[in-house]
Amino acid sequence: MLKIAGMASNRGRNLLHVADRAPGGAELTVVLTNREGAPVLDAAAERAIPTEVVERDEGESRASHERRVLDRLSGYDVDVVCLDGYMRILTEAFLDSAPLTLNVHPSLLPAFPGDDAHEQVLDAGVRMTGCTVHVVTEEVDAGPILTQEAVPVYEGDDEAALKERVLYEAEFTAYPRAIRWVAEGRVEVADDRSAVTVEGDAGGDFPERRVRGDDRAASLRYGENPHQDAALYADADCDEASVVGAPQLNEGAKALSYNNYNDADAALDLIKEFEEPAAAVIKHTNPAGCATADSLDAAYEAALATDPMSAFGGVVALNRDCDAETAEAVVDSYKEVVVAPGYTDAALDVLTDTENLRVLDVGDLGERTEALTEKDLVGGRLVQERDDWAPTRDDLDVVTEREPTDEQVETMLFAWRVLKHVKSNGIVLASGTETVGVGAGQVSRVDAVRLAAMKADEHAEGKSPDGSVMASDAFFPFPDGVERAAEAGVEAVIQPGGSVNDEDVIAAADERGVAMAFTGRRCFRHD
């Protein structure tokens, strides 16, 4: 366990935060101050942390005072000294005798050193500041930098506002990080304190530290619900076609809502899967239907027919320029948003004549260049590689006695690309290159099968689960999913495989004459 001696002259809020957080298992063993009555004393006592007061006597030399400080600290077995607003310049003699000594400074050093950093920042008119954790040397705020954290400077900021934000948004992040690194044995400081290195502090897709610099693109009417405030932020470096910066072509229509953006993004992401003319209808980020065809209007009609009831008020995405025929079909029932790489003039005449139908032009779809996706959590975020994988014919491992036909294989590959965009547990029933029924977001996989079959039976227009292909985003843990699918008329299945009960699942398929292929990979989508 790393033991810390904290030294502060006033409130010592960083030290107390470290004590509460215990980064890397570190323990604040003692708090020493050079000022009787410093607020940090009571706060430390409340946490049962020993305290020491070593004031500098009138006329006492720095060397003498530092010897007394070192003498007090010698009674504690400490590994590192952490300064927090300790208003004394330490001498080389002190630093040679003390353990590794760190300080946090409220600016991005080497800019704005000294005790008036926030005033310097505001006077300079810079738009970014932050904090720096550095190794303490005899020269003020000049030691080698261990880590930094940035904070924007806003119009109207005064010293008090900036100080508060730098403390809570930068120092409370950077100081615990540095201490954790020390506790993990990853920090190496040169003997003369001229340089510092951190093992593993590397870049790549998943770096040790991340800095996001998104800009607010829009203030939204509200969030997922009217009582929630919301805003849209844009990544200026994104080159991939997206709904974030897409112009809204129908002047006078309502601006996009939080949910509109979310659904439009999901719809656009889905139709990017296909080279052929493709259309998708999305509701609550799940596909209500998707299809490819020789023409865009035929693809849209097939997608809509999967579940026209659920498509009411949904989002439509197209991977070709929208023509008049497709536009006429889109406005035939109520939709919230249409997303496409472009529109003919005739199509725009149709679409913009519909009140409050938001028409987004995302431009050339191009390549899928964004490599990562992320999801915010309370207290952090998850980051992962984007799921760009889809099986080819060569990836399929047929495990049943019955071989799928060439047409069924084509449907399997289509269904998998749609399935990647269905919330787990997810099931897609498809025929040809169009969806027949979708079972999304179920806590039981067999329930997802039942839901997809019910949708195909009761809600699809001109479609049926009879003779369809079923795609599952993960393995079937028991035979019941395949059994229920066969009862509904499914004749072929694509799934990852990998269950301890695979043999039973395959046997159930063989008994019912169902062809089955494994992909060896799953495609969960949990958000």
Side-chain angles (χ1 to χ4, degrees):
M1 176 190 297
L2 186 80
K3 295 185 177 180
I4 301 169
M7 294 171 59
S9 298
N10 193 20
R11 298 173 66 179
R13 290 187 291 183
N14 275 297
L15 297 179
L16 300 173
H17 181 65
V18 165
D20 295 339
R21 287 276 302 277
E27 178 185 77
L28 185 59
T29 302
V30 60
V31 170
L32 183 144
T33 181
N34 62 338
R35 186 167 72 87
E36 189 71 58
V40 71
L41 294 171
D42 288 340
E46 290 174 0
R47 292 166 171 78
I49 300 170
T51 59
E52 300 284 350
V53 179
V54 185
E55 292 189 304
R56 184 176 177 183
D57 296 333
E58 185 176 352
E60 183 180 16
S61 68
R62 287 172 60 194
S64 172
H65 180 246
E66 288 182 350
R67 282 195 297 271
R68 291 198 294 120
V69 170
L70 288 168
D71 184 59
R72 292 288 186 90
L73 292 181
S74 67
Y76 302 89
D77 181 21
V78 297
D79 305 297
V80 63
V81 175
C82 291
L83 308 185
D84 183 17
Y86 186 71
M87 305 306 291
R88 293 291 178 188
I89 299 173
L90 299 175
T91 65
E92 186 175 357
F94 178 94
L95 297 171
D96 286 342
S97 300
L100 170 66
T101 303
L102 304 177
N103 183 46
V104 61
H105 178 77
S107 79
L108 297 174
L109 293 173
F112 313 121
D115 60 5
D116 57 351
H118 299 307
E119 181 181 355
Q120 293 181 64
V121 165
L122 293 172
D123 287 346
V126 299
R127 294 302 182 187
M128 191 66 69
T129 184
C131 77
T132 302
V133 180
H134 64 94
V135 176
V136 176
T137 61
E138 191 174 10
E139 186 177 354
V140 176
D141 299 331
I145 293 170
L146 188 53
T147 191
Q148 294 180 305
E149 194 72 17
V151 168
V153 181
Y154 299 127
E155 290 290 344
D157 269 342
D158 57 19
E159 287 185 51
L162 193 57
K163 179 179 180 180
E164 198 79 355
R165 198 162 62 255
V166 168
L167 173 69
Y168 286 108
E169 296 181 18
E171 295 176 27
F172 273 18
T173 296
Y175 221 168
R177 175 196 298 144
I179 291 168
R180 174 174 57 83
W181 286 348
V182 174
E184 292 170 349
R186 297 168 54 189
V187 175
E188 184 174 342
V189 180
D191 291 341
D192 61 358
R193 294 185 290 276
S194 62
V196 61
T197 58
V198 180
E199 180 186 353
D201 186 24
D205 286 343
F206 304 101
E208 178 72 24
R209 294 166 291 132
R210 299 175 74 234
V211 177
R212 300 288 296 181
D214 298 339
D215 300 319
R216 190 177 67 193
S219 295
L220 305 180
R221 299 195 308 275
Y222 52 81
E224 286 181 295
N225 301 290
H227 64 276
Q228 296 172 268
D229 291 336
L232 172 70
Y233 285 82
D235 177 1
D237 291 330
C238 178
D239 295 324
E240 185 172 330
S242 93
V243 299
V244 173
Q248 192 169 314
L249 302 184
N250 46 343
E251 296 181 7
K254 292 186 296 185
L256 267 71
S257 70
Y258 181 102
N259 292 330
N260 290 154
Y261 274 112
N262 209 18
D263 288 343
D265 175 73
L268 178 60
D269 199 37
L270 171 52
I271 55 94
K272 287 177 181 177
E273 294 279 354
F274 303 105
E275 296 294 333
E276 308 85 354
V281 182
I282 294 289
K283 194 72 174 289
H284 304 309
T285 73
N286 275 304
C290 181
T292 67
D294 292 335
S295 66
L296 194 64
D297 62 315
Y300 173 72
E301 292 285 7
L304 179 67
T306 304
D307 192 354
M309 181 178 73
S310 296
F312 182 84
V315 171
V316 174
L318 312 167
N319 71 348
R320 294 287 194 280
D321 287 359
C322 182
D323 53 32
E325 292 80 8
T326 306
E328 291 284 0
V330 169
V331 301
D332 192 48
S333 59
Y334 173 60
K335 302 294 186 302
E336 289 267 6
V337 184
V338 180
V339 183
Y343 301 84
T344 65
D345 290 341
L348 284 178
D349 287 342
V350 173
L351 296 172
T352 57
D353 193 46
T354 302
E355 185 177 3
N356 282 328
L357 174 64
R358 276 61 64 88
V359 181
L360 299 185
D361 185 347
V362 297
D364 182 16
L365 296 187
E367 298 295 323
R368 296 162 66 96
T369 58
E370 292 295 291
L372 304 176
T373 63
E374 56 186 271
K375 174 182 172 56
D376 283 342
L377 307 176
V378 174
R381 57 199 51 83
L382 295 169
V383 181
Q384 66 173 345
E385 291 181 337
R386 193 172 180 179
D387 185 8
D388 286 332
W389 186 83
T392 66
R393 288 175 178 265
D394 292 339
D395 293 314
L396 300 184
D397 178 18
V398 177
V399 293
T400 49
E401 296 171 359
R402 178 180 170 183
E403 291 272 344
T405 66
D406 288 344
E407 183 179 358
Q408 286 173 335
V409 169
E410 181 183 6
T411 302
M412 287 178 174
L413 301 181
F414 163 81
W416 188 273
R417 289 184 177 273
V418 177
L419 181 66
K420 289 166 54 180
H421 302 268
V422 176
K423 188 170 183 178
S424 188
N425 287 315
I427 292 290
V428 168
L429 302 185
S431 180
T433 56
E434 60 185 74
T435 51
V436 170
V438 179
Q442 301 305 298
V443 293
S444 161
R445 188 159 302 279
V446 71
D447 284 346
V449 174
R450 291 190 181 101
L451 178 59
M454 181 275 289
K455 286 283 188 180
D457 269 331
E458 300 180 14
H459 296 167
E461 292 184 349
K463 302 186 182 190
S464 166
D466 288 338
S468 66
V469 169
M470 177 173 70
S472 173
D473 63 352
F475 61 66
F476 288 97
F478 304 103
D480 51 1
V482 171
E483 291 167 353
R484 179 65 186 86
E487 291 170 7
V490 168
E491 294 186 356
V493 175
I494 179 173
Q495 60 131 321
S499 168
V500 295
N501 292 320
D502 273 349
E503 290 186 7
D504 294 338
V505 173
I506 295 168
D510 284 335
E511 288 172 11
R512 290 157 179 81
V514 173
M516 182 182 293
F518 287 178
T519 65
R521 298 194 189 189
R522 71 185 189 197
C523 58
F524 276 158
R525 183 174 77 85
H526 282 171
D527 57 3

